[in-house]
Amino acid sequence: MSPRLKLMTLFGAFAAGALILVVGVTMLLPGRPQIQTSAAVGGPFALVDQNGVPVTEAVLKGKPSLIFFGFTHCPDVCPTALFEMSEIFGALGPDADKVQAFFVTVDPERDTPALMKSYLGSFAPQIRGLSGSEENTDAIKKEYRVYSRKVPLSGGDYTMDHTAVVYLMDKTGTFVAPFDSKQPPERAAAELKRYF
């Protein structure tokens, strides 16, 4: 290879590298729209609360919300999550009414509004239980990317496998992130206050 060809090849490689660097830096500048790659979480739903009052996604506007999907016959995961939420409401003190929480059943066959009301009597009053028809339950599970499956037990009974994530929604009803309800209640309360 001639010295002139080597020099032209080297210059070409340098120019290509410089162009890639300029494009990369430009893409990272503040104010430039970023490409959203995560799937949307949340959307329209139509359920009823433990008092039989109709509830739609409109209820998520105005306050940050914690949403947990589970079922009343759950032996450990669901009551633990609801207890942790109750502890967070306790740590919020007078600010507890600035946050709301929802326990959405994945077991519409058994979890009637009356059963949800009885079950939630052991937890913070800010937690509302949401239930509905199988069709409406499937619709909200789809919107929130929730997995659940009926698992037969001996004697004709069953349990439910399900997603066990606490969803944090901001006061516009937009998904923020999974919320760590297992952290100390005071720390969780302080984190929620950022979304008031």
Side-chain angles (χ1 to χ4, degrees):
M1 185 182 287
S2 72
R4 180 182 168 133
L5 188 56
K6 282 183 181 177
L7 185 60
M8 288 177 63
T9 304
L10 184 61
F11 178 76
F14 174 78
L19 179 63
I20 290 169
L21 179 64
V22 168
V23 169
V25 168
T26 303
M27 293 297 288
L28 296 174
L29 287 175
R32 182 156 180 95
Q34 299 295 316
I35 298 170
Q36 185 67 274
T37 57
S38 61
V41 174
F45 62 86
L47 300 168
V48 295
D49 72 8
Q50 70 269 31
N51 296 311
V53 176
V55 177
T56 69
E57 69 280 0
V59 76
L60 301 178
K61 309 274 185 183
K63 295 181 181 182
S65 305
L66 299 176
I67 303 175
F68 183 77
F69 290 80
F71 65 114
T72 62
H73 289 72
C74 183
D76 47 25
V77 173
C78 301
T80 299
L82 295 173
F83 173 78
E84 290 165 350
M85 282 189 207
S86 297
E87 291 289 293
I88 294 166
F89 278 109
L92 282 165
D95 289 329
D97 288 335
K98 295 180 180 176
V99 179
Q100 57 189 349
F102 300 94
F103 175 57
V104 183
T105 186
V106 295
D107 185 11
E109 187 178 325
R110 293 185 292 199
D111 288 343
T112 62
L115 183 56
M116 295 284 273
K117 185 171 188 169
S118 173
Y119 183 74
L120 289 173
S122 301
F123 302 104
Q126 291 87 354
I127 304 173
R128 292 173 71 183
L130 303 184
S131 60
S133 67
E134 188 169 340
E135 181 182 355
N136 288 352
T137 301
D138 287 345
I140 190 171
K141 284 171 24 187
K142 182 177 179 183
E143 294 291 346
Y144 282 83
R145 312 291 190 258
V146 171
Y147 162 82
S148 72
R149 179 177 68 92
K150 187 185 281 191
V151 179
L153 299 173
S154 60
D157 200 5
Y158 67 89
T159 188
M160 300 291 293
D161 278 346
H162 62 92
T163 302
V165 172
V166 177
Y167 296 81
L168 172 61
M169 313 299 282
D170 68 17
K171 58 186 175 183
T172 69
T174 303
F175 175 67
V176 176
F179 187 77
D180 180 9
S181 62
K182 298 191 177 309
Q183 63 186 309
E186 294 75 20
R187 188 181 306 159
E191 186 177 337
L192 281 176
K193 287 179 181 180
R194 294 170 39 210
Y195 298 95
F196 286 0

